[in-house]
Amino acid sequence: MRCCTSWPLAGVAWTLADFERLGDKVPHLADLKPGGRFVMNDLHRAGGTPAVLKALLEAGLLHGDCITCTGATLAENLSNVDSIYKRKQDVVRPLNKPMHGTGHLVILKGNLAPEGAVAKVAGLLTRRITGPVKVFEGEEACFAAIQAREIKPGDIVVIRGEGPVGGPGMREMLSVTAALSGQGLGDKIGLITDGRFSGGTHGLVVGHVAPEAWVGGPIALLKNGDSVTIDADAKQLNVALDAAELARRRASFVLPAPREKRGVLAKYARCVHSASEGAVTS
């Protein structure tokens, strides 16, 4: 997975391995919705992303010598920025009094995501769910099923074919997660996708499943009714199928043709790496 802030001083890529290594070491500091009290405009008025980065840099949590997209290092970009802790504000908690001791992103692995997947756990009441899957080939098919009230409490919704190759690109499933929350299902179901999800999602949502469906990852082998467990505490994402059954299904799997036959998206799909490696091209 690649995560970059929108402010140009950052420009630093994070892979899934980076989050897996640091997830238990970096606290959850920002009291932001949907799991907290404040919104991004409150953070902006308190100093914004640059002020947060300066605080993290001063705490030794960032590598200041990293070159960013500006051509300068992170420390150089922040040289004239004050730490967010130098002003009175309630949006970002002190390092010694965080919202939670660990970050809001958890890396899950298991037989459904050998290369990993990402779950956002901020504000979650339910951190583990086991249920039957309802599989959809793409966001639109899932959205139609939600509108038809086909998703029920306890279901595990699977949206596949939205990964770096399959998309091509990785759309965020914002309309789907918003519709589920609108029906009161946000805390009552699980959602798994090889695409992305928005920071505004709520519930036990897992994205960036790798390998993705379009290249034959285990998510491509799921069938309606399979039992899947999402466990954010154990950091596991598994389907209740043994290796032999998965191998039988894989033997009959046929790689789908690219969605885009020409142009920049077709080139991207041919060159892109796994989401676990940042979905970068080569």
Side-chain angles (χ1 to χ4, degrees):
M1 187 191 74
R2 169 161 293 196
C3 178
C4 296
T5 69
S6 58
W7 198 57
L9 69 78
V12 179
W14 287 66
T15 66
L16 188 147
D18 293 320
F19 280 106
E20 189 172 24
R21 186 177 69 256
L22 297 173
D24 292 333
K25 298 179 176 63
V26 180
H28 175 197
L29 298 172
D31 190 1
L32 293 172
K33 292 181 180 296
R37 296 178 295 163
F38 300 102
V39 296
M40 283 303 297
N41 190 50
D42 297 314
L43 177 61
H44 173 73
R45 290 187 306 210
T49 304
V52 175
L53 289 171
K54 185 60 172 281
L56 297 178
L57 182 66
E58 291 179 348
L61 295 174
L62 296 177
H63 293 292
D65 58 350
C66 284
I67 296 294
T68 70
C69 59
T70 67
T73 67
L74 185 63
E76 289 169 341
N77 287 339
L78 292 168
S79 60
N80 295 319
V81 176
D82 288 331
S83 165
I84 198 162
Y85 296 133
K86 289 192 175 180
R87 67 196 75 197
K88 185 177 180 181
Q89 54 83 35
D90 298 313
V91 183
V92 179
R93 298 280 191 89
L95 284 161
N96 61 349
K97 294 181 180 179
M99 293 276 291
H100 305 286
T102 59
H104 68 294
L105 296 178
V106 174
I107 305 305
L108 312 180
K109 287 189 174 179
N111 67 352
L112 192 50
E115 293 179 8
V118 183
K120 182 167 69 72
V121 297
L124 285 187
L125 299 177
T126 301
R127 296 170 63 95
R128 186 185 190 280
I129 186 172
T130 297
V133 300
K134 289 185 176 176
V135 181
F136 300 96
E137 308 296 342
E139 180 184 15
E140 288 80 7
C142 181
F143 190 75
I146 296 169
Q147 288 183 308
R149 302 277 176 168
E150 295 175 7
I151 309 302
K152 307 300 180 184
D155 285 342
I156 307 290
V157 175
V158 175
I159 306 174
R160 64 191 180 193
E162 296 288 5
V165 177
M170 298 181 73
R171 290 192 293 175
E172 65 178 26
M173 305 295 108
L174 181 58
S175 61
V176 165
T177 54
L180 289 168
S181 294
Q183 291 185 8
L185 294 171
D187 292 321
K188 299 179 177 64
I189 63 146
L191 189 149
I192 300 170
T193 178
D194 52 9
R196 297 183 299 125
F197 54 83
S198 165
T201 58
H202 188 66
L204 197 49
V205 178
V206 180
H208 295 256
V209 172
E212 63 176 292
W214 217 263
V215 300
I219 190 174
L221 310 179
L222 291 177
K223 297 180 180 179
N224 287 330
D226 287 342
S227 179
V228 164
T229 297
I230 306 170
D231 192 330
D233 292 321
K235 300 179 181 178
Q236 290 285 307
L237 180 63
N238 290 298
V239 56
L241 299 173
D242 59 26
E245 175 59 22
L246 287 171
R248 280 192 290 270
R249 294 187 185 187
R250 185 170 289 108
S252 61
F253 175 78
V254 177
L255 286 174
R259 280 198 170 110
E260 300 291 336
K261 304 300 189 291
R262 56 184 299 176
V264 66
L265 288 178
K267 181 179 180 181
Y268 175 85
R270 289 195 302 270
C271 300
V272 70
H273 289 232
S274 169
S276 66
E277 299 176 2
V280 295
T281 57
S282 63

